[in-house]
Amino acid sequence: MTHANHPEHHPTSPSRSREPITAAASGTFRLGGELTVCRLGLGAMRLTGDGIWGPPRDRAEALRALRRAPELGIDLIDTADSYGPHVSEELIAEALHPYPAGLVIATKGGFERPGPNQWVTNGRPEHLRRACEGSLRRLRLERIDLYQLHRLDPKVPAEDQLGTLAELRREGKVRLLGLSEVGPDEVKLARPFFPVAAVQNRYNMLDREWDEMVDLCAVEGIGFLPWFPLKTGQLAHHAALLKVAERHGATPAQLALAWLLRRSPVMLPIPGTSRVAHLEENVAAAGIRLDAQDLRELGGS
């Protein structure tokens, strides 16, 4: 786990125009002790239509954004079979297969999607197996780098769900395994079945319910992928964030990403977008360095 040496000035300042900021400026993390990725990735949920259902409004732009991501140094793309459903995975394969060397694609299983904005947990072993195998086909992969249980299903014994993931790993269908929306107890429960390489929980500067989990992941070397990292629409009303952002000549969203990167060396933000301009703006956040005064004003780290 390493931190990058961030430049002191704003990432889009003229003096940097000949040296564009890439995701490499965020530093790196070694997922599961096996896969080294830049700490700023791309979340692919927004490559879908309203309600995370169906195709995106501008399919061509979504494909351009996906193709731009590796050019900006992004080597971690996070998706799920439930995004669309299936749409996000299919677009990733269309845009990027055959995949650039070193690109890590993470996906998830464990939800059924009966309609827009509807999410039904299904952790039955037969469903998880079908979900994983479907993701392999859609992504055109022989093995998924990081496969995550989207939710533990309370209707199914946890041991059955975790055991199925372990079987998929032994069969070579997945390389690393992770969990989503879990606390320390669930991570402990999973340990006899497989090493937990990543945890994906909702977390951002304004929503820090999982602070304890972030700290536990740092102690145990588990990657923490915060979903909803920008708390859409609410950052622009945060007075301290606006003040610090203005001082850096950055947007509130960029400052929120910089704060996440500073929060922990295991933090792997995956802001989502389907637009090239927004993607480039997010990546530029890797070049922002927050000092002690910034952190005090933002509420610490």
Side-chain angles (χ1 to χ4, degrees), residues 38-205:
C38 293
R39 292 178 55 224
L40 189 60
L42 171 64
M45 186 175 74
R46 296 296 171 187
L47 300 173
T48 58
D50 292 340
I52 321 304
W53 187 263
R57 292 182 182 180
D58 190 336
R59 188 175 184 277
E61 177 67 3
L63 290 169
R64 282 192 291 270
L66 282 166
R67 292 175 179 133
R68 181 69 173 132
E71 297 173 352
L72 293 169
I74 289 174
D75 53 14
L76 171 62
I77 298 177
D78 179 82
T79 186
D81 67 340
S82 56
Y83 298 163
H86 306 165
V87 170
S88 176
E89 291 181 330
E90 290 168 350
L91 285 174
I92 289 169
E94 179 179 344
L96 295 172
H97 189 273
Y99 298 111
L103 179 64
V104 172
I105 297 178
T107 193
K108 299 179 285 292
F111 270 132
E112 292 179 327
R113 297 297 311 284
N117 289 317
Q118 297 179 50
W119 307 80
V120 179
T121 308
N122 186 347
R124 294 192 301 273
E126 60 272 22
H127 173 79
L128 294 178
R129 179 169 289 278
R130 284 196 305 270
C132 179
E133 293 171 351
S135 290
L136 283 166
R137 288 193 299 273
R138 285 184 292 275
L139 290 166
R140 307 178 203 173
L141 290 170
E142 294 182 0
R143 180 176 65 172
I144 295 168
D145 287 325
L146 174 62
Y147 194 70
Q148 303 155 97
L149 182 60
H150 217 150
R151 294 291 187 277
L152 274 165
D153 187 345
K155 304 182 300 297
V156 178
E159 293 79 3
D160 291 351
Q161 300 172 71
L162 299 171
T164 300
L165 295 182
E167 287 174 5
L168 292 169
R169 183 169 177 253
R170 285 193 295 269
E171 293 166 9
K173 293 176 179 177
V174 302
R175 181 170 183 173
L176 302 173
L177 290 165
L179 304 171
S180 181
E181 284 300 285
V182 295
D185 290 345
E186 289 78 17
V187 171
K188 183 178 180 180
L189 183 63
R191 283 195 192 110
F193 295 91
F194 52 82
V196 177
V199 165
Q200 186 166 163
N201 288 7
R202 189 172 76 173
Y203 188 84
N204 54 65
M205 203 190 82

Side-chain angles (χ1 to χ4, degrees), residues 225-236:
L225 284 68
W227 64 270
F228 207 35
L230 297 179
K231 203 171 179 69
T232 308
Q234 299 184 39
L235 293 171

